[in-house]
Structures are given as C-alpha cells and as structure tokens.
Amino acid sequence: ERIGEINAQRRLLAERYLELLADVPGILPLGLPGHEQEHAWHLFIVRVDAEGGEFGRDAFMAALKTHGIGTGIHFRAAHRQRYYREWKVTRDVSLPETEWNSERICSLPLFPGMELSDVDRVVDAIREVMSEHAPANAPSANAY
C-alpha cells in the first residue's frame, strides 16, 4: 500500500545525491537506466574513480566509516565468487571490465526514512574525504 510513497521518497533522495555529487571529483554515480520504467532506487551506487592514487573504493568506505557513514558492496563480479572460481567451466574466465568496475563500486546510504539533510551530511563527508585523498585530476560526474 505504501510502495508509491516509499519510491517517491527514495527518488527524492537519489535526485539530491545526483545533484550534490555532480561536481565531486572521483565519485561517479551510476547512470540512469535507458528504459522508461520507473527507477525504484533501492540502492544508490557510486563508482570511486580516483585514478592515479592509492585511494580506492575500500579506503573510501573506511574513511566514510570514520564519519559515521556506512556503505555497502552489493555487486561483486559473479565469476570471482568461490563457486565459479572452482567450477571447471568458469575457472579461467577473465572479464577485465567487469572486474575493474566490481573493484570500484559501492552503495551509499539510501532508505525511505532518510531526510534530505541526511543526504547532505553524507555528501559533505564524501567531499571532505575526497578532498583529502583523491588526485586533483580525478573525473567527476560532469566529465561523463
């Protein structure tokens, strides 16, 4: 009964993330789907793209944790899961683009009980973390 309300709140929060992260070097929100269905925004995924430095996704997540912000990894390259690594058919599979992205994406907090001020706090922490760690030439969402 509340799915419309929940999706509307998630969309509002996601739009705020997209707006505020648009000029943060090294943080690239995943693109919107190319179809006409309504996006549910059950997750807000970003790619940590701080090329040219030691600061990657795992360090980014750890740094946000020091600010009291939890993140998650929801999408790992399937062929790197133990079952597929050990299965004869997929043991030697190499998917470099999948692996590259899998090592760089994580989920930011996004749930219907959040307020816009919560998104602001997350993005403020991201800006602080990235200003301390990302190289100056890292791309921003506006670069794509």
Side-chain angles (χ1 to χ4, degrees), residues 23-139:
D23 65 347
V24 178
I27 299 297
L28 302 165
L30 292 190
L32 297 173
H35 52 74
E36 293 187 25
Q37 282 74 21
E38 182 177 349
H39 197 306
W41 293 108
H42 72 290
L43 296 171
F44 192 87
I45 308 292
V46 295
R47 189 175 82 198
V48 181
D49 206 13
E51 294 295 334
E54 297 292 320
F55 189 75
R57 189 252 336 259
D58 295 340
F60 171 75
M61 293 173 70
L64 284 181
K65 189 173 184 178
T66 68
H67 288 267
I69 296 169
T71 55
I73 300 175
H74 290 89
F75 301 107
R76 297 182 190 265
H79 69 288
R80 286 202 160 170
Q81 302 298 320
R82 189 172 114 197
Y83 175 81
Y84 294 104
R85 284 192 327 261
E86 295 175 357
W87 187 29
K88 182 176 141 183
V89 175
T90 55
R91 184 177 310 146
D92 297 320
V93 167
S94 174
L95 301 169
E97 297 295 323
T98 300
E99 295 161 14
W100 187 89
N101 277 292
S102 178
E103 294 167 359
R104 287 164 176 77
I105 60 174
C106 67
S107 304
L108 299 180
L110 180 70
F111 54 92
M114 285 180 73
E115 301 289 333
L116 292 175
S117 60
D118 296 321
V119 173
D120 295 347
R121 187 174 86 75
V122 171
V123 174
D124 286 346
I126 290 171
R127 285 182 185 282
E128 183 177 330
V129 163
M130 296 309 286
S131 72
E132 294 171 2
H133 299 285
N137 63 345

